[in-house]
Amino acid sequence: QVQVVESGGGTLQLGGSLRLSCVASGSRYGALALGWYRQAPGKQREFVATITPFGRTDYADSVKGRFTISRDSAKNMVYLQMNSLKPEDTAVYYCNADYAGTNYWGKGTLVTVSS
């Protein structure tokens, strides 16, 4: 059974930086796409960024130029470097691992940005 675990959330001020990490374990195969999503209070979960095994990345418009996704495929890990954080980035951030069309989710890590 695949398990996905996020870490690195916290509370910080406007303009700060934070790096989230996620590890996917439990499968002898590596994950295909790895991605980050977030859910702000009272809102639906939304896409943040994704990265393919070949390093192709995609970002939501709201985070382009501020967030960077990267992965270590050997370790089945994905990272999200978040810079210039804003209060509207406050959310629970979830990691998603795609194993040949089956998606696995972590329980999330909370990021709170104060103004």
Side-chain angles (χ1 to χ4, degrees):
Q1 180 69 21
V2 174
Q3 291 186 323
V4 178
V5 179
E6 307 95 338
S7 61
T11 300
L12 64 164
Q13 292 188 331
L14 172 69
S17 296
L18 202 61
R19 188 194 195 209
L20 304 182
S21 300
C22 168
V23 59
S25 61
S27 173
R28 60 179 174 172
Y29 300 106
L32 297 178
L34 290 167
W36 290 94
Y37 292 72
R38 67 186 182 186
Q39 187 166 15
K43 296 187 178 181
Q44 291 188 331
R45 190 174 299 188
E46 65 176 7
F47 167 77
V48 175
T50 189
I51 185 167
T52 71
F54 305 105
R56 179 178 175 179
T57 59
D58 191 22
Y59 296 92
D61 288 343
S62 59
V63 306
K64 280 181 181 177
R66 299 188 298 124
F67 291 11
T68 302
I69 189 170
S70 61
R71 69 186 286 168
D72 183 336
S73 294
K75 297 180 180 178
N76 234 19
M77 292 193 70
V78 62
Y79 308 95
L80 187 68
Q81 177 65 44
M82 306 185 294
N83 299 327
S84 302
L85 282 161
K86 307 174 183 178
E88 50 263 45
D89 294 317
T90 295
V92 177
Y93 283 72
Y94 297 91
C95 179
N96 174 272
D98 174 9
Y99 282 82
T102 300
N103 284 281
Y104 295 90
W105 295 89
K107 294 182 178 180
T109 185
L110 177 63
V111 174
T112 303
V113 184
S114 60
S115 57

